[in-house]
């Protein structure tokens, strides 16, 4: 049976496709399709994702790393819808999402990109899943910086909970939302506007969608 592919995203960093091989779906990140000036960054990002997925092997709610050869990254397909489409309002979703984050952090991984709703999936059984580990912390060291970044992972989840399930926020969670980490406050005051400008003008990302544009060539 020949392979079938469905394009999900194509931008300056390459192509992301659903690939079906012998009736089994997987996700392929092809960095050979990246623009020449972005190819080195695309390679580093894919290699980082491969390291993160390898360290998270066996965790339910995280894709399994199937292959990485320096040109293509293959990961398992998780059946579900991105958060901005599914809009989860069940408190159980956020309770299980907190457990999923705790598992990541125990393995020494911080996602670092959980403000984007498309990186959260709502699976067909209603449970959470995480995708896109391109900028994850993979060093494994659990020092002060790790703890700050892990806290921001959690705070971004709570932001989504505030959007879709605000009544279930505890007083402690509300307090965390009201006290972003110092580096987060500095980022919002300085680099965030520049980041948004580059993301929109160069990569075609808009606001919280994070899905990018489909390139013509």
């Amino acid at each position: 049976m020949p392979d079938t592919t469905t394009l999900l995203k194509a931008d300056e960093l390459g192509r992301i496709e659903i690939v079906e091989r012998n009736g089994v779906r997987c996700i392929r990140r092809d960095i050979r399709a990246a623009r020449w000036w972005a190819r080195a960054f695309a390679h580093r990002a894919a290699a980082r994702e491969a390291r993160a997925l390898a360290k998270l092997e066996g965790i339910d709610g995280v894709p399994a790393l199937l292959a990485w050869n320096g040109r293509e990254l293959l990961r398992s397909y998780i059946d579900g819808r991105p958060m901005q489409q599914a809009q989860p309002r069940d408190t159980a979703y956020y309770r299980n999402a907190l457990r999923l984050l705790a598992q990541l952090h125990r393995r020494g991984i911080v996602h670092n990109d959980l403000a984007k709703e498309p990186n959260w999936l709502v699976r067909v059984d209603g449970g959470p899943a995480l995708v896109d580990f391109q900028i994850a912390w993979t060093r494994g060291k659990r020092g002060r910086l790790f703890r700050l970044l892990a806290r921001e992972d959690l705070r971004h989840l709570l932001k989504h909970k505030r959007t879709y399930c605000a009544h279930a926020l505890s007083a402690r969670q509300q307090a965390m939302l009201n006290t972003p980490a110092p580096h987060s406050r500095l980022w919002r005051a300085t680099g965030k506007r520049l980041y948004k400008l580059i993301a929109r003008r160069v990569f075609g990302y808009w606001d919280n969608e994070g899905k990018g544009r489909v390139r013509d060539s």
Side-chain angles (χ1 to χ4, degrees), residues 185-198:
R185 294 196 297 268
L186 178 63
W187 167 248
R188 288 206 305 267
T190 57
K192 189 172 183 179
R193 289 184 180 179
L194 177 61
Y195 166 79
K196 282 189 172 182
L197 178 64
I198 294 172

Side-chain angles (χ1 to χ4, degrees), residues 27-205:
I27 301 294
R28 175 170 63 194
R29 183 184 298 278
D30 186 356
I31 66 172
R32 294 172 299 184
R35 298 291 194 189
W36 65 268
W37 51 266
R39 201 158 292 151
F41 177 79
H43 182 274
R44 286 196 298 271
R48 183 184 296 268
E49 180 165 29
R51 286 197 303 272
L53 295 182
K55 290 184 177 183
L56 297 172
E57 181 180 2
I59 293 181
D60 184 35
V62 175
L65 177 65
L66 303 178
W68 164 241
N69 62 10
R71 300 178 302 278
E72 290 182 340
L73 184 148
L74 289 177
R75 61 173 174 83
S76 63
Y77 174 82
I78 295 179
D79 193 5
R81 292 189 295 159
M83 177 180 277
Q84 77 275 14
Q85 293 179 10
Q87 300 186 4
R89 302 183 188 277
D90 186 350
T91 56
Y93 177 88
Y94 299 95
R95 185 167 58 249
N96 291 328
L98 285 171
R99 293 183 183 136
L100 178 56
L101 275 185
Q103 289 181 286
L104 261 67
H105 297 161
R106 281 197 293 270
R107 297 276 182 101
I109 302 295
V110 176
H111 189 285
N112 274 335
D113 204 15
L114 294 184
K116 292 181 182 174
E117 293 186 15
N119 290 342
W120 287 98
L121 298 184
V122 180
R123 297 187 293 179
V124 291
D125 64 0
L130 289 172
V131 295
D132 195 353
F133 288 79
Q134 290 187 96
I135 62 172
W137 170 286
T138 61
R139 301 177 191 175
K141 297 179 180 179
R142 299 169 59 88
R144 185 170 182 272
L145 179 56
F146 173 90
R147 292 192 296 272
L148 283 172
L149 295 175
R151 184 183 187 274
E152 285 302 287
D153 267 2
L154 174 57
R155 204 170 66 84
H156 286 309
L157 171 60
L158 295 180
K159 284 184 177 181
H160 301 316
K161 185 177 181 180
R162 182 174 60 190
T163 298
Y164 298 113
C165 198
H167 69 277
L169 284 168
S170 68
R172 182 179 180 183
Q173 290 173 345
Q174 189 63 61
M176 179 176 288
L177 281 170
N178 295 335
T179 54
H183 77 279
S184 179
R185 294 196 297 268
L186 178 63
W187 167 248
R188 288 206 305 267
T190 57
K192 189 172 183 179
R193 289 184 180 179
L194 177 61
Y195 166 79
K196 282 189 172 182
L197 178 64
I198 294 172
R200 292 173 179 177
R201 295 290 178 85
V202 178
F203 297 108
Y205 299 161

